[in-house]
Amino acid sequence: MTSPNQPAFVAWPALLAGVMATLVGIGLARFAYTPLIPVLVQANWFSATDAVYLGAANLLGYLIGALLAHRLTRWASARVVVGASLAAVVLSFVLCASPSTFYWFFSWRLMAGVAGAVLMVVVPSMVFSATPQDKRPMVGTLVFSGIGLGALLAATVIPLILSHGLSATWWLLGALSLLAGCLCDVGLRRLSVRTDARPPTARSGEPGLQSIAWLVVVLVVVAYALDGVGFIAHTVFWVDFLARENALGQPAASLQWALFGAGAALGPFLMGLLVRQVGWHRALWMAFLMKAGAVALPLMSMAWLSQTVSSLVVGALTPGIVAIVSGRLAELVGPHTHQKVWGRATAAFALAQAVGGYSMAAIFAWTGSASAIFAIGSTVLLVSAVLVWVSRVIEVSRSSDGRD
């Protein structure tokens, strides 16, 4: 129930701020680069190995940003931190619009990763704090649909604009990021009154850090970290794996990336419906199992149907798992502690992602094939599913013992 001293909840500012932040931070800053990898190689801007390492630079930056995000909001207002991060992503596109050295591109892909992590930690936490508990399963998952929208835009717009050259493509991505950033700020201005009015402590009736099993939280965080390894196969190597390694060509690979984006755009909505039916925990466990199977599918068959199912399912569960983990942690620790714990989870994800990204880039450089990368990804996702299952067993056991 809404307090008499508090305005009634209006969903659109939360959704606008959250969707636009995730659109810029991950959907464009990271996923827009994936379909550019084979084009950068063909245009002789970089070698295949260098292009992959530039993708991994974004992963390293994501780790740095995740570690800094919570501290930055202690040094400056959240809106200032978000605005600076949005500006950094725009600059990362604009300043890479002309051929330059590997180190120049590396620096700006790194900066895009830092900014993307900050956006992913700060804005969803603001949204959770501003959203009533009964609306969190839908609002809290839909804010991550920007990840899929960015991938979908990259998959549909980039092939059209590439006929005008790589430089035009980088400029267009910068313009899209600028527009989305302005819309994000509109949402934040309307969101700030409700968010800032709430005290930064857990309210009565919400689970606090002292009343939960820390082991449960740790297991969920570790499972999420392993997802940072599991999704690299598709988000970094998928387009190149189809276009060059399997000789399917850029148009066929771009179609699969568009399907990945379509799945990613729908994923948070579908996961929101799933959470409402089975709860945060079961939805997370099911999501990890489905994603493990979908990542392994190209190893079993390269038929068009297998490619399509893999693209759609991994696409849907890439932002879908992010959304469910965020909601599950908010359920465990309460929305006011969410930013701190979510920041740590994002840092763990980013660390595993960075280590996995560089390791997989090395495997790719050594073998010349991405097949092993898909096998590794599927295996670690299965481990994630097991960890989530174990976390629930521990939680139920503690509850039955009367310790919570």
Side-chain angles (χ1 to χ4, degrees):
M1 182 179 293
T2 302
S3 168
N5 299 323
Q6 203 171 62
F9 175 72
V10 179
W12 76 260
L15 289 173
L16 184 64
V19 171
M20 291 300 107
T22 57
L23 167 63
V24 175
I26 300 294
L28 295 177
R30 179 183 303 168
F31 289 166
Y33 179 77
T34 302
L36 290 179
I37 290 177
V39 184
L40 287 167
V41 176
Q42 292 165 7
N44 293 317
W45 282 31
F46 298 103
S47 67
T49 300
D50 283 349
V52 170
Y53 273 112
L54 288 175
N58 187 270
L59 308 184
L60 177 59
Y62 196 79
L63 169 60
I64 297 170
L67 293 171
L68 290 176
H70 185 64
R71 295 177 183 176
L72 289 175
T73 60
R74 295 290 179 262
W75 298 335
S77 72
R79 190 177 166 202
V80 169
V81 171
V82 171
S85 300
L86 292 166
V89 175
V90 174
L91 285 174
S92 74
F93 286 126
V94 171
L95 296 178
C96 289
S98 300
S100 188
T101 65
F102 171 82
Y103 296 104
W104 176 263
F105 270 72
F106 186 94
S107 298
W108 285 106
R109 294 305 301 154
L110 183 79
M111 181 60 69
V114 172
V118 172
L119 293 172
M120 284 290 290
V121 171
V122 175
V123 179
S125 293
M126 294 172 69
V127 169
F128 262 103
S129 294
T131 303
Q133 188 170 356
D134 62 328
K135 292 182 171 58
R136 285 177 198 151
M138 192 54 67
V139 174
T141 52
L142 282 179
V143 296
F144 293 96
S145 62
I147 298 173
L149 290 175
L152 184 59
L153 279 173
T156 54
V157 173
I158 285 179
L160 296 176
I161 202 67
L162 274 174
S163 61
H164 299 284
L166 270 171
S167 294
T169 304
W170 288 107
W171 277 104
L172 177 64
L173 291 171
L176 289 173
S177 299
L178 179 61
L179 175 61
C182 292
L183 292 174
C184 178
D185 190 63
V186 170
L188 288 178
R189 287 203 304 268
R190 292 296 299 269
L191 191 65
S192 61
V193 174
R194 183 180 182 95
T195 304
D196 295 342
R198 293 191 174 191
T201 56
R203 298 174 301 174
S204 176
E206 288 183 342
L209 287 176
Q210 295 79 16
S211 62
I212 65 169
W214 263 110
L215 182 57
V216 175
V217 175
V218 169
L219 288 173
V220 172
V221 169
V222 173
Y224 181 52
L226 292 178
D227 184 50
V229 177
F231 90 145
I232 289 173
H234 275 69
T235 58
V236 176
F237 293 93
W238 187 227
V239 173
D240 193 54
F241 178 72
L242 296 172
R244 293 194 313 112
E245 188 170 331
N246 287 278
L248 297 177
Q250 186 67 25
S254 295
L255 172 61
Q256 289 301 322
W257 188 246
L259 292 171
F260 177 96
L266 291 173
F269 174 75
L270 296 175
M271 292 303 102
L273 295 177
L274 182 61
V275 168
R276 293 181 68 177
Q277 294 297 316
V278 303
W280 293 105
H281 162 72
R282 287 186 181 177
L284 184 57
W285 178 72
M286 293 166 64
F288 276 125
L289 283 179
M290 289 187 289
K291 193 172 182 181
V295 170
L297 199 54
L299 300 176
M300 305 172 192
S301 171
M302 280 302 296
W304 185 83
L305 181 60
S306 297
Q307 298 172 39
T308 300
V309 171
S310 184
S311 295
L312 288 171
V313 174
V314 178
L317 294 176
T318 293
I321 285 178
V322 177
I324 300 173
V325 170
S326 179
R328 174 62 170 150
L329 291 175
E331 180 183 54
L332 289 170
V333 305
H336 297 296
T337 312
H338 179 260
Q339 185 184 103
K340 184 176 182 180
V341 177
W342 177 233
R344 290 175 179 175
T346 303
F349 179 96
L351 176 60
Q353 177 183 246
V355 173
Y358 279 95
S359 299
M360 290 182 176
I363 291 171
F364 177 78
W366 178 46
T367 65
S369 171
S371 296
I373 293 167
F374 285 85
I376 294 169
S378 179
T379 301
V380 298
L381 288 167
L382 284 174
V383 174
S384 292
V386 172
L387 292 176
V388 171
W389 179 79
V390 170
S391 75
R392 181 59 174 172
V393 172
I394 294 172
E395 184 182 20
V396 171
S397 175
R398 286 180 62 88
S399 298
S400 63
D401 289 343
R403 296 176 186 173
D404 277 354

